[in-house]
Amino acid sequence: MSKVHNSKVRQTGSLGKKIAVVVIGGTLLAQPVSSAISLDLNPFQAGTAAAAATAEPSLKLLQQSYITAGAQRMDYLWTTTRSGKAAKANIHVIQVDLTNPYVNLNTMSGKNDTVGKLNTVMNMTKENGAVAGINADVFITTTEGSPMGAQVISGTLMTSPMQIKGMYAFAVTKDRKPVIDSYTFDGKVTSADGSSFTLAGLNQSAYIPEGGSSNYSHLNALYIYNSAWGGAERPKNSSTTPTEALVVNGVVQQISDGKPLTGAIPADGYILRGHGTAAQFILEHLQVGQSVTSDYSLVSATSGQKVDPTSFEMLVGGHTILVNNGAAATFSRDITGVSGSSYVSRTAVGYSKDGTKVYLITSEDYGDSTGLNLKELQQVMVKLGVYKGINLDGGGSTTMIERPLGETSLRLAHSTQYDTTQRSISNSIGVFTTAPQGDLKGIAISGSNVLFVGQKTTFSVKGYDTYYNPYTVDGTNASWGSTTGVGSFSGNTFTASKPGTTNITVKSGSVTATYPVEVIGKDQIAELKLDTAAGVLSKGATVSIPVKVTLKNGKTYKLTGDSLQWEFTGFTATTSGDTLTVNSVNPGTTTGYAIGRYDGYGTMLPFTQGGSEKTFETFENVSYAINPQVTPSATTTGSVKLVTDLPGQTSGKALQISYDFSAGTGTKAVYAQFNGSSGKSIDGSPVSMTMDVYGDKSLNWLRAEFVDANGTAHLVDLAKQLDWTGWKSVKADLSAKGMAYPVKLKRVYVVTTPDGQDERAATGAVGIDNIKLQYAASTTTPTKGHIEMTIGKKSAVSNGKTIAMEVAPFETGGTTYVPIRFVTDAMGVTLKWDNKLNRVTVLNGSKMLEMVIGKKEININGALSQTEVAPMIKNGRTLIPIRLVSEKLGLKVTYDNKTKKIAID
């Protein structure tokens, strides 16, 4: 165990429990060599904004519940104005009452309780037995990822703070007092002959110190590593060759000159790692069999006094101070490295003026929740009642884990910046309970709180005791109901029947509970997408019809194809699960349409005489050049080559793109350019492209660039984030790109952009294989005619014939309206009219267009967009804004302002 001598910790034995540090990204500074710093409970989420907050912000409490005695989960909605536009963000808080004897805070570390082995907050929370947790310190992504600040777990110092200015830390003392301060490290090693050497740090990754004489932390420096160190090297990317000494029970056991020692560090020992002058000290003053002492402590920047780490129950590092004395504080260091002016996910910690409450705070950048910049985070913290608080790691690292009331398992409390994907980090703050088993206090309902019409879900009842910890209850005789008629129960299974909100109710014995549920309706949908370009118009043909629903708040859900109500034009069919089967085809039909609707909101799948798939490239026999290109060329390096040894590779050859983005700033990319730089030609007009991609979990962006017949470049996303390891098939939709065929595939590339760059790996390699192109059989577009109409006149010319119309075209507010029935009949376009819903549907080739009378929005193939004008009814006839509709259908509209004549081709 560590012993205290004159406010120093003398390393004489085991550290007790090995502690692991968790990594949290934030590009704070440059690094040595190749280093670079690095659920769906809440329905209030949405997009990104950029600019300074200007107007009266507000923070509204939406809901709160207990996690355990002394710890509450609270959800808030932050609303503000940025550049004259409204913005909102979801704020989540775990409030911990330090006066409650049953709740505790402690630091949680990486895999296997080590420093330098990254882990997710979920895994750390599970492994340590906590009931909640949030991510904590910043770390360097291209090293093992030890935290930048000090870390104390249960009174044991696990790692020292890096020599970086303006970095603050949060701690709770053994007498349960919260503390925020900035710390430095003080230590020395004393040999048996009385010689001593300054210790630079404990269990630390390589970094660039600030205010020192060297750009390399381990140059001419002596570090101590113990059994808590989990890194494969001591450390990675140090730019120095080590001389090391193994010390066990205060006695030197082994010395290695100019190379690292092998084997695990024993629990009752440590390794002194030196370079340059420090290596010289080891070789000249340490001898096998002789004693040595290593003493170290923290030093408070506020008082200048040494601080015994054993006086802390826990301590984690952070970034800048945000709040002091209940007001926004001046940032203690530059915030550029943590994208401080950008609106992203954020994590912070602070405490109340009386020191009794600790606030663990996160904000979301996902869906319609726009995240916060650091100035807004300061405002939020002040409104929450924070007296003193600091910034923790944010962006992709921001994660909150909780054990919901009555539950025995943990869950992600809200979406991360990558939806449900959690980033592995260096350390986190855990909430722990020591409460005994209490009496039954109440019950809570578990189950999905977002449903779709026709969807069934089973709810369960969970009990909690007087300490708000799980309590086993028998829910077999529970009585279930709902407050509104959006669905019905059979036992504890609820079937949603119509859109709306309701409160699910349950009574078990003498206790009751309610639970809010929302059934999604058409007005909440932004897109209804089928992951299929076209079906085959042939009896017995089948097509896969899984549905992706995107709501206006940015949330996405997957539905089976038979969740939609289908109507068919030109054929008959049936659906089962995600499969549609053609039963018969009407005589003479060359193009059919399957329109699927959810609560009236439609999407369309065309059916044609057949489709095909062609292999574009397997890289087995490449007869053209594939050249690398990098940008910016001054700082980015990379290569492309054909390889045969990627893990899991089943083909003979694959294309590998390697990249190094660790230097420079801004957007960086490494390209694999096909056929030199001119591109490889593509046959026909493919609607989609698939390829096998070997991901490196770097979270970088993988894209392709096509060049069309007009020389126009079209960028296509293959993976917005490379968030997997190993092989995966990806698919890109080419049909909506508006490319003029024929086209060429110019290049495939890996790219990182400035915003959130610290969240992504700076180096890595991606594999590409089996590129295939999918073609839909050409949908038959009716032969285009020629129409001439004149504003205010009921006579028109259709394909050379004069025809009388029941209502004349007219102009209002700069928009020309024409009768839609006349136009569609003349152009051979299919028109459907829903009298009940006042909805007009136009089908032309591979396009479906829908508008509702009086609504300024248009649905094109399931994707909704806003318009400046709306269709209307005049004299009992439907009129449409002709330029908007015709051009969306691929028709050409010309207008002679002098003669007021409209021509459509």
Side-chain angles (χ1 to χ4, degrees):
M1 298 295 292
S2 299
K3 297 183 179 179
V4 181
H5 295 277
N6 298 322
S7 299
K8 300 176 182 177
V9 177
R10 173 171 294 176
Q11 182 72 34
T12 58
S14 170
L15 284 175
K17 173 183 175 183
K18 291 194 288 185
I19 315 286
V21 216
V22 202
V23 198
I24 311 174
T27 308
L28 296 173
L29 44 134
Q31 299 101 336
V33 195
S34 61
S35 313
I37 305 183
S38 117
L39 217 127
D40 296 325
L41 170 67
N42 197 328
F44 304 93
Q45 296 157 330
T48 350
T54 56
E56 290 290 329
S58 67
L59 188 67
K60 179 183 178 181
L61 178 64
L62 300 177
Q63 60 186 23
Q64 66 186 104
S65 62
Y66 277 95
I67 295 173
T68 188
Q72 293 187 69
R73 155 81 185 276
M74 301 177 178
D75 295 312
Y76 296 85
L77 182 63
W78 169 258
T79 55
T80 189
T81 302
R82 301 169 184 158
S83 296
K85 295 183 179 180
K88 60 183 178 178
N90 301 323
I91 310 298
H92 308 283
V93 179
I94 297 175
Q95 180 179 293
V96 178
D97 182 3
L98 293 179
T99 67
N100 189 302
Y102 297 116
V103 69
N104 301 284
L105 293 174
N106 211 336
T107 307
M108 303 185 295
S109 215
K111 291 182 180 178
N112 303 319
D113 290 332
T114 59
V115 173
K117 277 191 176 180
L118 307 183
N119 206 352
T120 64
V121 182
M122 173 66 83
N123 287 341
M124 286 186 279
T125 308
K126 285 180 179 179
E127 292 167 6
N128 286 276
V131 295
I134 64 166
N135 61 293
D137 206 349
V138 187
F139 61 96
I140 300 173
T141 58
T142 54
T143 66
E144 305 84 1
S146 70
M148 290 188 167
Q151 176 179 296
V152 174
I153 301 181
S154 302
T156 299
L157 182 65
M158 304 307 299
T159 186
S160 58
M162 294 181 180
Q163 185 181 314
I164 302 173
K165 297 177 181 179
M167 303 286 279
Y168 275 75
F170 167 79
V172 177
T173 64
K174 286 292 180 66
D175 56 357
R176 299 175 69 80
K177 302 296 183 185
V179 176
I180 286 178
D181 202 348
S182 183
Y183 297 96
T184 56
F185 180 74
D186 180 78
K188 71 175 181 178
V189 172
T190 304
S191 64
D193 65 9
S195 301
S196 63
F197 198 93
T198 299
L199 267 177
L202 164 69
N203 290 336
Q204 205 154 85
S205 295
Y207 69 102
I208 297 177
E210 294 179 352
S213 59
S214 172
N215 284 334
Y216 302 105
S217 54
H218 287 60
L219 184 70
N220 293 317
L222 186 65
Y223 281 81
I224 187 170
Y225 292 87
N226 57 32
S227 58
W229 179 252
E233 302 175 52
R234 285 185 296 273
K236 183 180 178 182
N237 298 332
S238 69
S239 297
T240 59
T241 300
T243 289
E244 295 187 336
L246 173 64
V247 180
V248 178
N249 289 323
V251 177
V252 178
Q253 301 293 321
Q254 190 178 355
I255 295 176
S256 177
D257 183 6
K259 60 182 179 179
L261 291 166
T262 58
I265 304 174
D268 57 354
Y270 57 87
I271 283 178
L272 293 172
R273 191 259 194 216
H275 168 267
T277 55
Q280 187 177 349
F281 168 79
I282 291 175
L283 296 174
E284 292 179 357
H285 297 283
L286 301 187
Q287 294 185 29
V288 173
Q290 291 187 350
S291 63
V292 62
T293 58
S294 299
D295 299 316
Y296 47 82
S297 65
L298 298 175
V299 178
S300 165
T302 301
S303 67
Q305 300 297 309
K306 292 181 179 180
V307 180
D308 179 4
T310 63
S311 67
F312 295 119
E313 179 64 21
M314 59 85 61
L315 182 148
V316 291
H319 189 245
T320 178
I321 191 166
L322 293 175
V323 176
N324 196 21
N325 296 323
T330 301
F331 298 135
S332 54
R333 67 173 287 113
D334 180 65
I335 62 173
T336 304
V338 290
S339 304
S341 298
S342 299
Y343 299 99
V344 299
S345 298
R346 299 285 177 190
T347 309
V349 62
Y351 59 84
S352 61
K353 186 174 182 179
D354 61 7
T356 62
K357 293 182 177 62
V358 171
Y359 304 91
L360 308 178
I361 305 163
T362 60
S363 71
E364 282 184 76
D365 177 16
Y366 186 80
D368 65 354
S369 178
T370 61
L372 303 174
N373 63 15
L374 285 188
K375 287 186 177 180
E376 285 189 354
L377 180 55
Q378 288 176 309
Q379 294 175 300
V380 167
M381 294 172 76
V382 170
K383 286 182 177 292
L384 287 171
V386 172
Y387 180 72
K388 194 168 187 177
I390 63 171
N391 182 44
L392 299 175
D393 194 14
S397 297
T398 292
T399 308
M400 178 180 283
I401 299 297
E402 66 165 350
R403 185 190 68 186
L405 184 64
E407 299 284 349
T408 57
S409 58
L410 301 166
R411 74 174 177 189
L412 191 61
H414 60 80
S415 297
T416 67
Q417 205 155 284
Y418 308 115
D419 193 8
T420 58
T421 300
Q422 293 184 49
R423 188 178 184 200
S424 292
I425 57 172
S426 72
N427 62 10
S428 58
I429 301 173
V431 180
F432 297 82
T433 182
T434 59
Q437 178 71 59
D439 298 325
L440 178 65
K441 181 178 179 66
I443 57 175
I445 298 172
S446 294
S448 175
N449 63 348
V450 176
L451 300 175
F452 288 82
V453 174
Q455 186 176 352
K456 294 184 178 182
T457 189
T458 299
F459 292 101
S460 60
V461 60
K462 307 287 185 179
Y464 55 92
D465 67 11
T466 46
Y467 300 106
Y468 299 99
N469 290 319
Y471 189 101
T472 302
V473 296
D474 182 4
T476 55
N477 296 318
S479 177
W480 294 88
S482 64
T483 56
T484 60
V486 300
S488 58
F489 271 101
S490 175
N492 61 337
T493 299
F494 182 78
T495 302
S497 57
K498 65 180 182 179
T501 59
T502 188
N503 284 318
I504 301 300
T505 62
V506 64
K507 182 176 182 181
S508 181
S510 61
V511 289
T512 60
T514 62
Y515 185 65
V517 167
E518 181 176 26
V519 181
I520 298 300
K522 63 178 179 296
D523 291 339
Q524 295 162 274
I525 297 176
E527 184 176 24
L528 202 62
K529 185 175 182 180
L530 297 166
D531 191 23
T532 304
V536 177
L537 200 57
S538 174
K539 181 179 180 181
T542 61
V543 63
S544 180
I545 51 170
V547 182
K548 179 182 177 181
V549 183
T550 302
L551 303 185
K552 291 176 181 177
N553 66 10
K555 296 293 291 181
T556 60
Y557 300 88
K558 291 182 179 180
L559 299 178
T560 58
D562 58 4
S563 299
L564 307 186
Q565 297 295 319
W566 291 90
E567 56 190 72
F568 306 105
T569 299
F571 67 102
T572 64
T574 54
T575 62
S576 177
D578 282 334
T579 301
L580 184 152
T581 303
V582 176
N583 295 330
S584 64
V585 180
N586 297 352
T589 299
T590 56
T591 299
Y593 301 97
I595 300 176
R597 300 191 186 277
Y598 173 82
D599 189 34
Y601 188 100
T603 189
M604 187 271 288
L605 184 68
F607 278 71
T608 64
Q609 296 298 329
S612 63
E613 180 177 76
K614 294 181 181 179
T615 297
F616 177 74
E617 185 58 81
T618 63
F619 302 105
E620 298 303 314
N621 297 291
V622 177
S623 59
Y624 56 91
I626 303 178
N627 297 330
Q629 182 186 4
V630 300
T631 183
S633 57
T635 55
T636 303
T637 60
S639 64
V640 297
K641 61 180 179 180
L642 298 178
V643 297
T644 60
D645 57 352
L646 286 174
Q649 183 174 333
T650 56
S651 63
K653 296 177 184 178
L655 179 66
Q656 183 181 62
I657 304 174
S658 300
Y659 57 89
D660 187 341
F661 299 145
S662 57
T665 59
T667 298
K668 310 167 194 177
V670 175
Y671 303 87
Q673 300 198 129
F674 291 84
N675 197 22
S677 60
S678 60
K680 184 181 179 185
S681 296
I682 288 176
D683 294 333
S685 306
V687 294
S688 60
M689 178 177 71
T690 59
M691 66 174 65
D692 296 335
V693 176
Y694 185 84
D696 58 358
K697 208 170 185 179
S698 62
L699 300 181
N700 286 310
W701 195 358
L702 184 66
R703 309 191 84 186
E705 181 179 342
F706 294 83
V707 177
D708 71 9
N710 297 328
T712 304
H714 299 268
L715 304 181
V716 175
D717 294 333
L718 300 173
K720 289 288 284 186
Q721 287 110 18
L722 288 159
D723 58 359
W724 72 90
T725 301
W727 289 102
K728 176 181 177 180
S729 179
V730 300
K731 183 175 184 179
D733 182 12
L734 306 181
S735 60
K737 291 298 176 179
M739 292 188 276
Y741 291 97
V743 301
K744 295 179 179 180
L745 177 60
K746 181 177 181 179
R747 53 193 181 180
V748 175
Y749 59 102
V750 182
V751 62
T752 180
T753 55
D755 190 23
Q757 197 166 93
D758 58 301
E759 305 295 341
R760 299 183 284 273
T763 60
V766 175
I768 296 169
D769 203 359
N770 300 321
I771 303 177
K772 297 180 180 181
L773 299 166
Q774 291 77 41
Y775 299 80
S778 55
T779 51
T780 302
T781 301
T783 302
K784 294 180 181 179
H786 176 77
I787 305 173
E788 292 182 0
M789 294 177 283
T790 304
I791 298 293
K793 294 185 177 181
K794 290 186 178 181
S795 63
V797 176
S798 174
N799 299 318
K801 295 182 179 180
T802 301
I803 298 176
M805 298 183 295
E806 295 185 8
V807 59
F810 72 97
E811 186 178 10
T812 178
T815 299
T816 302
Y817 286 83
V818 299
I820 188 171
R821 174 68 68 180
F822 173 76
V823 174
T824 55
D825 286 351
M827 304 304 288
V829 175
T830 301
L831 174 68
K832 292 178 176 288
W833 167 253
D834 189 312
N835 189 56
K836 182 178 180 181
L837 299 176
N838 282 333
R839 182 184 64 212
V840 58
T841 302
V842 181
L843 300 168
N844 187 37
S846 61
K847 290 185 178 180
M848 180 193 79
L849 180 154
E850 287 193 336
M851 299 184 79
V852 176
I853 301 300
K855 284 194 174 184
K856 294 181 179 181
E857 55 187 29
I858 187 168
N859 175 348
I860 301 174
N861 288 359
L864 191 69
S865 59
Q866 300 301 307
T867 63
E868 295 181 357
V869 292
M872 62 175 67
I873 293 179
K874 185 178 182 181
N875 297 335
R877 297 300 174 186
T878 302
L879 290 95
I880 57 170
I882 186 58
R883 187 172 297 278
L884 170 68
V885 174
S886 296
E887 291 184 353
K888 294 294 185 183
L889 291 173
L891 306 178
K892 182 181 179 181
V893 180
T894 56
Y895 179 65
D896 189 320
N897 191 54
K898 184 177 181 179
T899 63
K900 304 295 183 182
K901 183 174 289 186
I902 307 159
I904 304 174
D905 292 286

